[in-house]
Amino acid sequence: MYLIVGLGNPGRKYEKTRHNMGFDVIDCLVEKHGVPQSGVKFNAMFGKGIIGGERVILMKPLSFMNLSGGPVREMVNFFKIDPEKELIVIYDDIDLDPGQLRIRKQGSAGGHNGMKDIIRCLGTDRFVRVKVGVGARPQDWDLADYVLSRFSDADRKVIDEGIEQAADAVEMAVEKGVDIAMNQYNKKKSASK
């Protein structure tokens, strides 16, 4: 069984912001696969379903981004998930162009506070992550203000495509393996002509 976690902040105030990429990808997966809402457990919304022939739990922590680790650890322990083989975390990345994906099997938090807390609470950085690019912070912007802001109309179309692709990448990782998903989706998007 896979635990697929999308990171974000709960509440209407944060909907469609850069920091809620993980929530948006989970919503996309829920819709595509008809995963029913199972309720709230360990301060997280979750649902159980099947993706690519595998049982999955789709999860959105409700603890706010910087405290994502507690709910993830509780779910991992309760459902006996092996983080190295059965955990996928989806989140935003300011070091990637809008909509660009990067899949990794392990690594540092890269300055992302939600990931820092998950690594701290799990005691390992050896788990799959799917990063969705939201673009670099403009020089005169505060980082928190930037990640909690919404996209321009021009970027929104690209981001919506990135969300769909991230959902496809998660499906491929579950069904065919992370290496195949990395080969398919870790390519830099070519600039449109």
Side-chain angles (χ1 to χ4, degrees):
M1 180 186 302
Y2 285 86
L3 176 61
I4 302 169
V5 181
L7 299 188
N9 287 305
R12 296 184 71 88
K13 172 180 175 182
Y14 300 105
E15 285 178 4
K16 303 292 182 193
T17 61
R18 287 175 168 81
H19 228 16
N20 272 33
M21 283 296 95
F23 276 18
D24 292 344
V25 175
I26 291 292
D27 290 343
C28 182
L29 287 165
V30 164
E31 193 173 313
K32 281 178 79 174
H33 296 280
V35 175
Q37 173 67 20
S38 298
V40 176
K41 191 181 214 62
F42 309 124
N43 202 19
M45 288 175 55
F46 75 105
K48 295 179 186 176
I50 304 287
I51 293 178
E54 298 285 342
R55 291 185 311 144
V56 299
I57 300 165
L58 302 179
M59 172 188 172
K60 297 198 294 192
L62 300 175
S63 55
F64 288 95
M65 181 66 79
N66 296 356
L67 300 172
S68 299
V72 171
R73 184 189 63 231
E74 296 280 357
M75 284 283 197
V76 162
N77 291 344
F78 185 81
F79 289 105
K80 298 178 174 43
I81 300 294
D82 178 349
E84 291 187 25
K85 296 179 183 156
E86 301 169 319
L87 174 64
I88 300 173
V89 180
I90 309 157
Y91 61 101
D92 60 291
D93 191 322
I94 63 168
D95 293 325
L96 297 173
D97 292 338
Q100 184 183 351
L101 302 185
R102 183 74 67 234
I103 304 168
R104 293 282 183 257
K105 291 183 180 178
Q106 65 183 46
S108 74
H112 193 284
N113 289 331
M115 285 298 289
K116 281 181 193 172
D117 199 54
I118 292 172
I119 290 168
R120 182 184 64 77
C121 288
L122 292 180
T124 183
D125 66 359
R126 297 177 64 83
F127 55 87
V128 173
R129 65 278 319 263
V130 177
K131 302 188 266 188
V132 184
V134 296
R137 169 182 62 94
Q139 222 170 0
D140 55 340
W141 279 58
D142 174 73
L143 180 59
D145 289 341
Y146 179 67
V147 296
L148 295 177
S149 68
R150 290 180 172 78
F151 296 96
S152 68
D153 290 343
D155 280 345
R156 187 75 243 178
K157 184 173 185 288
V158 175
I159 287 300
D160 287 342
E161 289 171 5
I163 290 166
E164 290 275 341
Q165 282 202 334
D168 293 345
V170 168
E171 292 166 13
M172 184 176 284
V174 167
E175 188 175 1
K176 298 182 177 176
V178 178
D179 289 328
I180 290 173
M182 287 170 67
N183 286 338
Q184 176 72 28
Y185 289 98
N186 281 359
K187 299 174 180 143
K188 184 141 176 88
K189 286 186 173 187
S190 56
S192 38
K193 296 177 181 175

